Amino acid sequence: MVFANKKHFPTAIIGVLVAFSIVALVLSLVKTDDVTLPPVVKYGLVFDAGSSHTSLFVYEWDSDKENDTGVVSQTLSCDVQGQGISSYAKDPPKAGDSLRACLETALKVIPAGKQRDVPVYLGATAGMRLLREQNSSSAAQILAEAAKTIQEYPVAFKGARILTGEEEGAYGWITINYLLDSFTKYSPKAHTWVHPEAASILGALDLGGASTQISFVPEGSVRNWSETSTFTLYGYNYNIYTQSYLCYGQNEILKRLAKELIVEAAFSSRVEHPCYPKDFKETISLSSFSTSPCTNQSDPGLAFGDRDVTLEGSGNASACLAALRKLFNFSACEQIQDCTFDGVTQPPLTGQFVAFSAFYYNFKFLNLTKGQPLATVRETIKDFCTRSWEDLSSSYPDENPQRLSKYCTNANYILTLLSAYKFNESSWNNIFFQMKAGSADIGWTLGYMLNLTNMIPGEAPARRKAQLPSLWAAAIAFIILTLTLGFAALLLLLWGK
């Protein structure tokens, strides 16, 4: 570089260096949040392969908030056409094919550049647990076909497996408490995370087609409850009691009830059904009882094969309740303390509960999800059960007839089951019937994904960054400024010589 006037050289050098120093100082005063790049949106997919149907859920969250609470949102839910994958025991490839339409729908909402990094899980529940009992090779083949189909798409497939009943219950419990901020909350005032009171931890009540689950945190010591699991979430330990009852889902109860009524009627061709509406008729084949381990117990009368039986509704609510109670083995609890039914022990109920899935859908239809007292619930169900089929059909013309005819049975079964769980007039108001929390459906799928992606840390979240100037940037600016002034002084010294 050539200067027109050599004596101006030191002044020019010093001016340039001071300018750099000013720029560095300004950068040091910029807030860290002002220069942070936008977070990356991430996605996850979970198939809920239930006993009666399969659903696909698409979740999304910002990458910089993976370990926060309540930040995962549900982007999409897609109902797979047809029955549950366990119904494809005789043609397993169709189980995989049934998933294609929802997979293609899900990929339309995920940017193409991110699809290969999207984790995809398939969890099968009680329907597949029952099929595995009947035919383990068919169950394995169905899962293999489902996995094969998913792997044809540009996603990060993470596996297809059958959940235990206890896992299903625990993941539902995690979903509820995660979505409702029961595990931890960020306090803007304190600039830190706080742990809610123990009373705000919610219990979970799930009712599916083939099984039902109850999960909650018992009060005091957990004693030696064999059904208790321990989770460490956000730095706190939770001892969860979770119990699953196979063959107590609403679809299996309907089959079990029909079978018991037929057996009691000595296999007559026409059998009175107290839970069906008066004048409603349904014809079933005795061979249908052989399709499930819940009704496939040996019984001489069922050996008549494909003989049909007609069930005729009588609309008798009290007789319906009595018939449903016979499906529970309460006598097995006579000598056992803290026992519900079938010889299963349960800690005393504590806290509030969220009842979802079939609990919600049946009570929603009957307009019983608004916190009505138990006496009102019982009276509403009783009145509904006394209505004739003609009355119901004309009053609910848009309702599926198969579902409409079963609401009396399902509602009375819910009353019987919740009573077996030890809910009574005083604790009934602790049950909240709901299916959504924010934008997300309540169920086990979100808890399952959160667990497998380690998005709920065992340790407590670190203190959030305060909105202050970056100490690192200030330190770097100070060093640059010091070096600049030192270099300028050296130049002046050399120039003076």
Side-chain angles (χ1 to χ4, degrees):
M1 180 181 293
V2 179
F3 284 89
N5 190 340
K6 188 176 181 181
K7 68 179 182 180
H8 293 158
F9 176 68
T11 303
I13 290 294
I14 293 173
V16 171
L17 294 175
V18 170
F20 276 117
S21 299
I22 292 172
V23 171
L25 185 60
V26 170
L27 288 176
S28 73
L29 297 176
V30 176
K31 292 180 180 179
T32 55
D33 287 353
D34 293 337
V35 296
T36 301
L37 293 176
V40 176
V41 177
K42 301 180 74 172
Y43 298 87
L45 275 63
V46 186
F47 279 100
D48 175 1
S51 58
S52 58
H53 72 282
T54 299
S55 297
L56 173 61
F57 297 93
V58 180
Y59 300 107
E60 71 172 73
W61 61 94
D62 288 344
S63 59
D64 66 338
K65 294 184 178 179
E66 285 188 333
N67 289 336
D68 285 4
T69 183
V71 299
V72 175
S73 61
Q74 181 178 304
T75 303
L76 174 77
S77 65
C78 180
D79 291 328
V80 173
Q81 294 298 309
Q83 296 180 304
I85 59 175
S86 59
S87 66
Y88 298 105
K90 295 182 179 180
D91 195 357
K94 285 188 177 180
D97 290 338
S98 70
L99 309 179
R100 294 185 185 279
C102 277
L103 268 170
E104 291 165 3
T105 299
L107 291 178
K108 290 178 182 178
V109 303
I110 301 173
K114 297 183 178 182
Q115 291 176 0
R116 294 194 178 278
D117 296 324
V118 174
V120 181
Y121 307 90
L122 184 143
T125 54
M128 287 293 285
R129 292 198 289 271
L130 288 174
L131 178 60
R132 185 170 56 187
E133 285 188 16
Q134 283 187 307
N135 191 328
S136 59
S137 61
S138 289
Q141 193 173 356
I142 285 174
L143 290 179
E145 291 293 340
K148 179 181 176 182
T149 296
I150 297 172
Q151 287 173 312
E152 294 176 9
Y153 291 82
V155 293
F157 177 61
K158 299 296 184 180
R161 57 181 288 261
I162 300 174
L163 276 65
T164 67
E166 287 66 35
E167 286 179 316
E168 188 177 356
Y171 292 135
W173 176 86
I174 289 176
T175 295
I176 289 170
N177 287 287
Y178 177 87
L179 289 174
L180 298 176
D181 290 339
S182 298
F183 292 137
T184 184
K185 292 183 179 180
Y186 182 70
S187 171
K189 184 177 180 180
H191 298 297
T192 189
W193 293 85
V194 296
H195 183 64
E197 294 297 326
S200 68
I201 298 297
L202 300 163
L205 297 167
D206 185 6
L207 177 58
S211 69
T212 185
Q213 286 74 231
I214 179 171
S215 308
F216 63 98
V217 178
E219 196 171 46
S221 64
V222 295
R223 288 176 35 185
N224 294 317
W225 304 107
S226 59
E227 302 84 3
T228 301
S229 302
T230 299
F231 292 89
T232 301
L233 308 168
Y234 294 109
Y236 290 86
N237 293 326
Y238 297 94
N239 294 305
I240 313 301
Y241 170 88
T242 179
Q243 176 65 47
S244 179
Y245 295 88
L246 194 59
C247 295
Y248 281 89
Q250 68 171 15
N251 293 343
E252 293 301 327
I253 281 292
L254 287 167
K255 295 177 188 175
R256 290 174 56 199
L257 178 59
K259 178 190 170 184
E260 291 305 312
L261 293 172
I262 291 170
V263 170
E264 287 180 2
F267 301 94
S268 171
S269 60
R270 304 173 76 86
V271 175
E272 179 183 316
H273 197 308
C275 302
Y276 280 174
K278 188 177 180 179
D279 299 328
F280 175 81
K281 296 180 181 180
E282 180 183 44
T283 300
I284 61 175
S285 172
L286 294 179
S287 63
S288 64
F289 296 126
S290 64
T291 61
S292 169
C294 301
T295 52
N296 194 27
Q297 296 88 3
S298 59
D299 192 304
L302 297 180
F304 289 108
D306 290 333
R307 188 167 67 85
D308 291 340
V309 173
T310 299
L311 300 174
E312 300 180 344
S314 60
N316 189 328
S318 58
C320 176
L321 277 170
L324 286 165
R325 282 187 62 84
K326 293 179 182 179
L327 303 180
F328 293 77
N329 186 2
F330 291 114
S331 61
C333 288
E334 289 179 354
Q335 305 300 321
I336 304 174
Q337 186 180 9
D338 296 320
C339 186
T340 54
F341 56 93
D342 293 2
V344 176
T345 56
Q346 173 186 292
L349 298 171
T350 181
Q352 297 178 328
F353 287 75
V354 174
F356 54 100
S357 297
F359 282 118
Y360 172 80
Y361 292 123
N362 285 293
F363 271 35
K364 177 64 175 176
F365 176 80
L366 295 171
N367 196 28
L368 291 174
T369 60
K370 299 178 181 178
Q372 295 96 328
L374 181 55
T376 301
V377 171
R378 287 172 173 161
E379 193 65 28
T380 300
I381 293 172
K382 181 180 179 180
D383 290 344
F384 180 85
C385 290
T386 59
R387 297 173 65 178
S388 69
W389 179 238
E390 181 181 2
D391 176 21
L392 291 176
S393 299
S394 59
S395 299
Y396 304 99
D398 298 329
E399 186 68 18
N400 182 305
Q402 284 299 313
R403 285 199 298 267
L404 184 60
S405 63
K406 308 297 191 298
Y407 280 122
C408 173
T409 314
N410 294 339
N412 278 302
Y413 172 58
I414 288 173
L415 284 178
T416 307
L417 177 61
L418 293 179
S419 174
Y421 284 157
K422 309 299 184 181
F423 285 99
N424 53 33
E425 282 78 3
S426 60
S427 58
W428 182 266
N429 290 335
N430 290 330
I431 305 175
F432 297 90
F433 295 86
Q434 65 184 89
M435 198 59 223
K436 280 185 175 291
S439 65
D441 289 273
I442 294 175
W444 62 264
T445 53
L446 178 55
Y448 185 59
M449 186 195 73
L450 292 171
N451 180 65
L452 293 179
T453 54
N454 295 316
M455 283 178 58
I456 297 186
E459 299 299 321
R463 190 180 180 93
R464 280 189 173 175
K465 292 181 295 185
Q467 304 298 307
L468 298 174
S470 169
L471 295 179
W472 279 108
I476 293 171
F478 177 76
I479 293 171
I480 293 174
L481 183 59
T482 301
L483 292 176
T484 298
L485 294 175
F487 184 58
L490 180 60
L491 282 177
L492 287 172
L493 181 63
L494 293 174
W495 187 261
K497 291 182 178 181

